[in-house]
């Protein structure tokens, strides 16, 4: 994947010499810290990297297939100099499929464990429900999502146009310009998130994505956990206490720290 300097998918959050940690997560539309940020503050002496697909999809390319995003991440990680020890690749919620792909690619070179935190596997309903949720932010109008089986770039463009139409109407009703920074940034963020979910929905390689990587799942619904392409006896499942849907809390960060760096957790 070709990218400019500000479209890199991987960002180092902390320094360290061995056993690096990569975290695929999302920036909520709030001031709340990301899971990757909280882990980098808690785990000392190990490089923590943030995998940011939304940052990439907010740039010139509106749609990038999941395997291509993963390959860009793996390439950037190999260039980072974090060459020693086992790699931990963490995927939170709908970033789990990307984490599996990255883990599988890196497992060609070294020992890797994928840690999936309340993983979800995007499908049609996931994409359309999120589209409806974003659309509802701008008013009561209900408009159908485009056909998800069409060309992905056209699907993303169509969803973005629908959102833009609604935010333009909202802005006009309030007497402000729809090009105002807050509206523009919001549309880009919604578009990028929908593009990432669509990439997960379209992924046909997920059943073999993890490759030789070990897989551990942390879930508040362990009886409902599945990992595509894996028999249930080939991955570990550990129960989480109930979590607010999609929320990233300090308590969750402590639990994940206890799993990946037990000596540095206050609950270890």
């Amino acid at each position: 994947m070709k990218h400019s300097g500000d479209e890199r998918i991987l960002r180092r959050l902390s320094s360290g010499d061995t056993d690096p940690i990569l975290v695929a997560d999302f920036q909520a539309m709030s001031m709340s810290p990301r899971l990757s940020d909280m882990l980098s503050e808690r785990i000392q002496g190990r490089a923590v990297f943030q995998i940011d697909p939304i940052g990439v999809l907010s740039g010139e390319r509106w749609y990038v297939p999941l395997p291509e995003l993963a390959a860009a991440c793996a390439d950037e990680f190999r260039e980072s100099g974090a060459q020693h020890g086992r790699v931990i690749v963490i995927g939170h919620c709908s970033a789990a499929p990307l984490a599996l792909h990255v883990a599988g690619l890196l497992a060609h070179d070294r020992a890797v464990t994928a840690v999936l935190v309340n993983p979800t596997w995007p499908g049609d309903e996931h994409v359309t429900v999120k589209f409806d949720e974003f659309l509802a932010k701008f008013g009561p109008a209900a408009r159908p999502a485009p056909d998800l089986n069409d060309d992905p770039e056209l699907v993303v463009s169509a969803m973005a146009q629908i959102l833009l139409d609604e935010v333009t109407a909202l802005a006009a009703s309030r007497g402000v310009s729809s090009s105002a920074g807050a509206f523009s940034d919001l549309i880009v963020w919604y578009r990028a998130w929908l593009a990432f979910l669509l990439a997960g929905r379209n992924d046909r390689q997920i059943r073999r994505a993890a490759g030789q990587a070990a897989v551990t799942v942390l879930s508040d619904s362990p009886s409902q956990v599945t990992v595509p392409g894996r028999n249930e006896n080939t991955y570990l499942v550990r129960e989480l206490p109930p979590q607010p849907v999609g929320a990233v809390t300090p308590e969750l960060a402590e639990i994940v720290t206890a799993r990946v760096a037990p000596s540095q957790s206050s609950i270890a």
Side-chain angles (χ1 to χ4, degrees):
M1 181 176 70
K2 300 294 185 182
H3 53 63
S4 61
D6 61 348
E7 292 177 335
R8 295 180 68 84
I9 193 171
L10 197 67
R11 184 164 71 96
R12 185 191 285 262
L13 300 181
S14 61
S15 60
D17 299 321
T18 190
D19 298 330
I21 299 168
L22 288 71
V23 187
D25 60 359
F26 303 108
Q27 176 62 60
M29 290 299 288
S30 72
M31 298 302 292
S32 301
R34 296 167 67 157
L35 179 60
S36 50
D37 292 323
M38 289 193 281
L39 294 179
S40 70
E41 293 170 356
R42 286 166 169 77
I43 300 173
Q44 305 300 315
R46 295 171 63 175
V48 176
F49 295 84
Q50 182 182 85
I51 303 172
D52 185 14
I54 302 303
V56 172
L57 293 166
S58 298
E60 294 181 0
R61 293 188 64 184
W62 285 21
Y63 180 84
V64 181
L66 213 61
E68 193 174 339
L69 287 170
C73 180
D75 288 346
E76 290 180 25
F77 176 71
R78 292 186 180 108
E79 296 170 358
S80 72
Q83 300 175 356
H84 305 292
R86 174 176 289 272
V87 181
I88 304 292
V89 185
I90 299 170
H92 181 237
C93 291
S94 53
L98 177 58
L100 274 187
H101 274 286
V102 173
L105 291 173
L106 296 179
H108 292 303
D109 307 326
R110 58 201 292 184
V112 178
T113 296
V115 177
L116 311 179
V117 183
N118 278 330
T120 60
W121 314 102
D124 287 11
E125 183 178 8
H126 198 149
V127 178
T128 56
V129 166
K130 188 61 67 173
F131 173 76
D132 290 343
E133 177 186 320
F134 292 162
L135 190 60
K137 304 288 187 182
F138 306 129
R143 297 178 61 179
D147 185 350
L148 301 183
N149 293 315
D150 285 345
D151 178 274
E153 293 188 6
L154 294 179
V155 173
V156 174
S157 178
M159 289 192 291
Q161 186 61 54
I162 292 170
L163 293 170
L164 180 60
D165 290 345
E166 294 304 314
V167 79
T168 299
L170 175 63
S173 72
R174 297 186 177 183
V176 298
S177 170
S178 63
S179 63
F183 285 117
S184 178
D185 290 347
L186 191 62
I187 291 293
V188 170
W189 188 81
Y190 285 168
R191 184 201 80 207
W193 195 346
L194 290 166
F196 180 73
L197 294 178
L198 184 65
R201 177 261 186 196
N202 291 344
D203 184 27
R204 300 293 179 260
Q205 301 180 31
I206 189 61
R207 292 192 172 276
R208 58 179 183 275
Q212 297 302 308
V215 178
T216 294
V217 180
L218 307 180
S219 173
D220 54 18
S221 304
S223 63
Q224 301 176 29
V225 165
T226 60
V227 177
R230 290 265 177 151
N231 296 325
E232 62 181 14
N233 62 349
T234 63
Y235 54 90
L236 298 176
V237 180
R238 297 291 181 263
E239 186 171 6
L240 289 171
Q243 303 288 318
V245 176
V248 177
T249 63
E251 291 77 17
L252 179 62
E254 280 293 324
I255 292 168
V256 176
T257 298
R259 170 57 52 181
V260 302
S263 64
Q264 300 189 40
S265 172
S266 62
I267 64 173

